[in-house]
Amino acid sequence: MIESLDSNISLHSLIWLFLAAFMLHDFEEIIRIEPWYRKHYRTILGRVPEKLRKDISSFARMTSSQFAVAVCLEFIVFVPFTFLAAERESYLFFLGFNAVLLIHVFMHVGQALYVRMLVPGAVTAVLITLPYSVYLFYRLLHDNAVELSDIWFSLPFGLLLVPVILLGHKAGEKLVPAPVPANTQPPDHAGK
């Protein structure tokens, strides 16, 4: 099977497929995060330590649209570095981002095991991100495009995603305000 993949997918195409793998995974999170928290919020709060409950509450208030802003910002960052890897064989940031996303798979699995339920993103993390990432690193090494030391060296560059993600979530809160709860009415300014 590996030989068939190797002969049918060029390294160039495989690198560009990163953007598709990333978006398929994040679409699952965007679509599922809001209804999942609505359904499981109380259960989750009962299963996490007290010190994490504030973070859980913050995520539970996030709308799918707000989450999508963070994903959009990540995608914007990924495009030029994917271009550099695919078209210019400049792999440093691309490797780092993919190493972080591979680690991210195990975060989803760990979360699901910890809260004892399927969490948003877990399915595509295991079925798309994990096989894509493993095959990508295999191909980059097999085709002598990079060495194992390059992957390890790139990991700190991948961690630059953390401020991008945090900025994306803050931007989501600012650009897409949370909806007004249905049981409240805006003030009547008709007479002014």
Side-chain angles (χ1 to χ4, degrees), residues 78-185:
F78 288 157
V79 169
F81 292 107
T82 303
F83 171 83
L84 288 172
E87 307 298 332
R88 301 288 185 260
E89 298 179 3
S90 177
Y91 298 110
L92 185 64
F93 283 92
F94 181 78
L95 287 173
F97 295 157
N98 276 279
V100 167
L101 289 172
L102 178 58
I103 293 166
H104 181 72
V105 168
F106 299 101
M107 182 197 79
H108 279 294
V109 171
Q111 288 172 335
L113 292 172
Y114 189 81
V115 298
R116 299 183 303 277
M117 68 177 63
L118 197 57
V119 298
V123 172
T124 52
V126 171
L127 296 180
I128 294 174
T129 307
L130 179 62
Y132 172 81
S133 298
V134 169
Y135 183 65
L136 173 71
F137 287 126
Y138 154 77
R139 274 296 294 279
L140 288 166
L141 293 165
H142 180 266
D143 292 6
N144 296 313
V146 301
E147 296 179 8
L148 191 56
S149 60
D150 296 325
I151 297 170
W152 286 109
F153 181 73
S154 72
L155 194 52
F157 293 91
L159 293 175
L160 292 174
L161 280 178
V162 173
V164 170
I165 293 166
L166 294 174
L167 177 65
H169 286 298
K170 287 292 182 199
E173 291 172 13
K174 298 291 183 199
L175 295 172
V176 186
V180 176
N183 61 352
T184 63
Q185 295 294 322

Side-chain angles (χ1 to χ4, degrees), residues 11-81:
L11 184 57
H12 180 264
S13 295
L14 182 62
I15 290 169
W16 278 114
L17 281 172
F18 163 67
L19 297 173
F22 168 75
M23 285 310 303
L24 288 171
H25 168 66
D26 274 71
F27 282 144
E28 180 192 3
E29 291 181 311
I30 291 167
I31 292 165
R32 291 196 59 228
I33 193 151
E34 196 172 343
W36 185 84
Y37 268 116
R38 230 183 352 259
K39 182 176 180 181
H40 299 291
Y41 178 69
R42 297 252 181 251
T43 304
I44 298 304
L45 277 186
R47 293 182 181 170
V48 298
E50 183 75 35
K51 63 182 178 184
L52 294 178
R53 289 182 183 170
K54 183 179 177 188
D55 293 331
I56 296 297
S57 293
S58 175
F59 268 103
R61 287 188 303 272
M62 183 185 324
T63 66
S64 294
S65 297
Q66 290 170 332
F67 191 87
V69 172
V71 171
C72 181
L73 184 59
E74 282 179 84
F75 188 81
I76 290 167
V77 169
F78 288 157
V79 169
F81 292 107

